[in-house]
Amino acid sequence: MNIEEMTLEEITQKIYSLFNEKNYSAIKEILIELNPADIAAAFDEFPIETRNLIFRLLPKEEAAEVFVELEVDAQEALIRAFSDTELREIIDELYLDDTVDIIEEMPATIVKRILRNTDSQTRASINTLLKYPEDSAGSIMTTEYVSLKKDSTVEDAFKRIRRTGVDKETIYTCYVTDESRHLIGVTTVKELLLHEYDDLIEDFMETNTIYINTHDDKEIAVQLFDKYNFLALPVVDMENRLVGIITVDDAMDVLQEENTEDIHKMNAIVRTSEKPYLKIGVFETFKSRIPWLMLLMVSATFTGMIITAFEDKLSVLIILTSFIPMLMDTGGNSGGQASVTIIRALSLNEIDLNDIFRVIWKEIRVGICCGLSLAAVNFAKVWMIDKLLIGTEGITLKVDLVISLTLVIEIIFAKIVGCTLPIFAKKLKFDPAVMSSPFITTIVDALSLLIYFWLATAILHI
């Protein structure tokens, strides 16, 4: 069986078996055929000592690519095992933005050692990138790009690409700058190939260049990649000087990071680590979950206060109590559906505060449709199953009507709450994901109870 037909688990077992046999040449042949990301995934299954030894079998360039794909703890273990010469070789092969990403995750002792093994120019570039705010476009850009002059010919451009391109993260997109590094245009290798050698760059370069500022939020960069299908996005400073580029792989990392963060917030979890789930300790997981659980537990006191306030009325007709969980859950689920939809629309810039009345009107109509449908099914279920089939005491047509009307009204209110809170949060510069399911559920639960007891009082006269 050749490598292409083997699963990652089979490859891992094969490498481990060859390692025990000390057949290092066979391991090297297997590693050369694998993608760096697959090698990194296989490395996670090896003990640290084995991983360190196998890593040294990789060719220098491939070793750097694998190193970038490894988890932070694996990178740290390798750095500690490297000699200064080995560390310097790896760093020399890394792109600048990857080096910065690694530095940001490492403890101070490792960072000092990395910086000690870089040349002064690289160290200065690293320090520059580290000064940008964590969520800014400047923090994820690389300064390794191909720049051309507008009065250069196509032949000159190819010569420059051949001379400098080996150290650049991408050479397909080339940026045209003036003597002061102001961004004035962009072209691609495809355009260069389609023109004659003596054609000037300024004759066919694209001058309507889309770019991002170093201090713009990195989420804006992701949106530009999504909208324009870029492979790279130029980053300029306040004076429109080109200082770097963001490549599509970095944009994908930001997208994954933001999606993960939103998922955590929408489920009331404070994210405290970038590590994979199985590598996060129990106490660290506890710390990420307890703050919101504590807050939601305290906020749930309001629902308890409402039930206590109507305790005398409930004691008159006990059957009303049994439907409280269903009503609260349905209201919370309805509000959660609306909030998730709106948060998604906000993240894609499909809506803003000016659209709030259109959004509310739409959700009211959706709420009426959902409420009437659920009320009709619930009315039939309560009467035919709970009343006639099971024979539950206390169920009357009026009780059934109260439950069903509560469903209609609470779902409408839940939709309104679910769609408006994220929009207001965005306007107030808060993350809309914070105003999601757990927070909205708490508000809707209280509203559901108030509606339920108000209808019960009005219709049943209790």
Side-chain angles (χ1 to χ4, degrees), residues 101-288:
D101 289 341
I102 292 169
I103 286 175
E104 288 179 328
E105 298 292 337
M106 293 296 160
T109 54
I110 299 293
V111 172
K112 289 179 181 178
R113 189 170 171 221
I114 291 174
L115 294 176
R116 192 170 63 243
N117 284 279
T118 57
D119 58 67
S120 58
Q121 183 178 353
T122 302
R123 192 156 53 246
S125 299
I126 290 173
N127 289 331
T128 299
L129 293 179
L130 288 173
K131 290 178 182 177
Y132 289 110
E134 182 180 357
D135 292 328
S136 68
S139 69
I140 60 169
M141 73 179 182
T142 178
T143 57
E144 296 161 326
Y145 57 88
V146 175
S147 64
L148 304 173
K149 302 302 178 185
K150 66 177 183 178
D151 54 357
S152 297
T153 64
V154 170
E155 184 176 11
D156 294 333
F158 278 127
K159 287 180 180 179
R160 180 169 176 78
I161 292 171
R162 292 190 190 98
R163 187 173 66 253
T164 65
V166 66
D167 297 323
K168 308 305 180 186
E169 189 155 351
T170 178
I171 61 171
Y172 179 75
T173 306
C174 304
Y175 301 94
V176 185
T177 59
D178 60 18
E179 298 301 326
S180 300
R181 290 192 297 110
H182 293 111
L183 180 63
I184 58 176
V186 63
T187 189
T188 65
V189 171
K190 177 183 177 180
E191 287 293 330
L192 295 173
L193 288 170
L194 294 176
H195 284 82
E196 299 296 333
Y197 272 169
D198 56 355
D199 286 350
L200 295 177
I201 302 295
E202 64 179 333
D203 292 337
F204 58 85
M205 69 180 186
E206 176 63 55
T207 55
N208 186 24
T209 309
I210 296 169
Y211 56 83
I212 192 170
N213 189 273
T214 51
H215 286 82
D216 287 341
D217 195 293
K218 59 186 180 183
E219 285 191 53
I220 298 176
V222 174
Q223 293 167 4
L224 291 174
F225 272 96
D226 179 56
K227 184 175 182 179
Y228 298 106
N229 296 319
F230 286 145
L231 294 177
L233 176 67
V235 184
V236 301
D237 62 14
M238 294 299 181
E239 297 179 4
N240 202 43
R241 289 187 300 240
L242 183 63
V243 292
I245 63 171
I246 299 172
T247 52
V248 67
D249 58 319
D250 294 317
M252 291 297 293
D253 290 340
V254 173
L255 181 62
Q256 182 180 11
E257 177 186 325
E258 295 298 330
N259 286 342
T260 303
E261 183 180 342
D262 286 346
I263 290 171
H264 279 81
K265 288 180 179 178
M266 291 172 69
N267 290 278
I269 298 174
V270 179
R271 194 178 186 200
T272 59
S273 176
E274 303 289 333
K275 298 177 184 176
Y277 170 78
L278 291 176
K279 294 187 178 181
I280 301 176
V282 173
F283 187 69
E284 194 172 357
T285 304
F286 158 77
K287 288 195 300 181
S288 72

Side-chain angles (χ1 to χ4, degrees), residues 265-430:
K265 288 180 179 178
M266 291 172 69
N267 290 278
I269 298 174
V270 179
R271 194 178 186 200
T272 59
S273 176
E274 303 289 333
K275 298 177 184 176
Y277 170 78
L278 291 176
K279 294 187 178 181
I280 301 176
V282 173
F283 187 69
E284 194 172 357
T285 304
F286 158 77
K287 288 195 300 181
S288 72
R289 298 181 184 181
I290 196 62
W292 267 104
L293 287 176
M294 196 77 70
L295 177 62
L296 293 174
M297 182 188 71
V298 173
S299 64
T301 305
F302 293 111
T303 59
M305 293 169 61
I306 294 171
I307 293 175
T308 301
F310 288 89
E311 189 174 6
D312 293 339
K313 298 181 183 297
L314 287 173
S315 63
V316 176
L317 198 57
I318 301 297
I319 189 62
L320 293 175
T321 307
S322 64
F323 293 99
I324 289 177
M326 181 273 291
L327 292 171
M328 292 173 66
D329 287 346
T330 303
N333 291 336
S334 298
Q337 285 182 333
S339 69
V340 169
T341 305
I342 296 304
I343 290 169
R344 179 63 177 166
L346 287 169
S347 68
L348 296 176
N349 290 324
E350 295 176 349
I351 59 174
D352 55 30
L353 185 64
N354 296 327
D355 300 310
I356 188 167
F357 293 111
R358 293 172 59 195
V359 171
I360 291 174
W361 176 230
K362 177 179 179 179
E363 290 298 332
I364 288 175
R365 288 177 290 168
V366 173
I368 292 172
C369 294
C370 292
L372 290 174
S373 300
L374 291 175
V377 173
N378 178 76
F379 189 91
K381 175 260 179 188
V382 170
W383 190 255
M384 297 177 66
I385 298 178
D386 294 355
K387 170 70 175 176
L388 301 179
L389 185 61
I390 301 177
T392 304
E393 294 183 5
I395 293 180
T396 64
L397 282 174
K398 284 189 175 181
V399 169
D400 201 353
L401 180 63
V402 167
I403 299 166
S404 300
L405 282 177
T406 300
L407 276 173
V408 176
I409 298 173
E410 75 164 0
I411 288 174
I412 293 172
F413 274 97
K415 296 292 186 185
I416 294 173
V417 172
C419 73
T420 54
L421 284 185
I423 295 176
F424 285 133
K426 183 76 177 258
K427 179 62 178 178
L428 296 173
K429 308 299 183 183
F430 292 118

